[in-house]
Amino acid sequence: MLIEVAGVRAPGGRAAEAARLVCEEYADKALHHHSMRSYFFGAAWAQAQGLDFDRELFFVSALLHDLALVPPFDSHTLPFEEAGGHLARVFTAGLGWPTQRRNRAAELIVLHMREDVAPEVDAESRLLQVGTSADVSGAGLEVFDPTFRGALLAAYPRLGFAKSFVRLFQDQAVRKPGCAAAQLVAGGWAERTESNPLG
């Protein structure tokens, strides 16, 4: 794992390494790289804003945020972000995190599929929203320096991510028609995602 991309660093330590390992083992390479890029986009945005944030909490949540899209963790009743929140609570219990911190990891994952959160209210949740939006649909890409974007894509290539991710969301929409993913699919999200300037 590259721990620094164009001056933006990932945290070290047991929790970060465990999250990276689990993501790498269960997600395919395209989804794993998306999780890493989501972290780096969010962290770069925070640094540019001069925003203080909990780097470990954000990294762990970013690496786990889409794992409920993969078969071993997919729920046939819960929206993937809610199932992902439960997965994060179980994962962080194994790390010995206290209940409040475990709940925060779950909250970040659930909120990344909800309405925008103000950074002064919840910095880490906003960073996950910023990072995932930039990487998935290209929303807000213009605020990121092209040099940073190039370095990030070199470190974590997209590997056909857009098409594979659209298929995952379309599957969620068919099986869980009331979920947030279904609303996005119905609203032209797939077209925006597949035309993301990142490729």
Side-chain angles (χ1 to χ4, degrees), residues 2-193:
L2 290 179
I3 61 170
E4 186 170 320
V5 175
V8 181
R9 65 178 180 83
R14 176 171 170 255
E17 177 58 21
R20 183 205 60 78
L21 181 64
V22 166
C23 183
E24 198 171 52
E25 286 184 353
Y26 283 96
D28 65 23
K29 204 161 190 178
L31 194 62
H32 168 243
H33 283 195
H34 159 65
S35 300
M36 293 298 300
R37 290 191 307 269
S38 295
Y39 167 80
F40 280 108
F41 271 126
W45 188 82
Q47 288 181 199
Q49 301 285 321
L51 189 64
D52 189 33
F53 67 101
D54 185 325
R55 199 172 291 268
E56 179 187 68
L57 173 66
F58 175 43
F59 184 84
V60 168
S61 301
L63 270 288
L64 301 179
H65 83 275
D66 277 341
L67 283 188
L69 290 170
V70 303
F73 303 118
D74 182 25
S75 168
H76 288 276
T77 56
L78 293 176
F80 84 92
E81 68 275 15
E82 293 180 17
H86 289 292
L87 171 61
R89 294 189 80 255
V90 172
F91 173 86
T92 53
L95 293 171
W97 285 16
T99 300
Q100 184 177 9
R101 189 165 178 78
R102 291 169 58 214
N103 289 342
R104 283 287 292 135
E107 183 178 38
L108 266 66
I109 292 170
V110 171
L111 289 181
H112 95 277
M113 290 293 291
R114 302 294 184 263
E115 293 297 321
D116 287 353
V117 177
E120 63 271 18
V121 173
D122 183 346
E124 293 80 18
S125 289
R126 182 61 185 146
L127 298 188
L128 191 55
Q129 291 176 333
V130 167
T132 56
S133 295
D135 195 60
V136 171
S137 65
L141 270 180
E142 66 280 356
V143 305
F144 295 98
D145 185 276
T147 302
F148 167 75
R149 286 162 46 180
L152 184 55
L153 290 177
Y156 296 102
R158 288 181 71 79
L159 307 174
F161 167 71
K163 288 188 181 299
S164 63
F165 198 66
V166 165
R167 286 195 296 270
L168 288 171
F169 263 43
Q170 288 170 336
D171 175 64
Q172 293 285 310
V174 169
R175 292 188 291 113
K176 308 168 197 178
C179 71
Q183 294 172 15
L184 284 173
V185 169
W189 166 88
E191 292 77 10
R192 294 192 301 276
T193 296

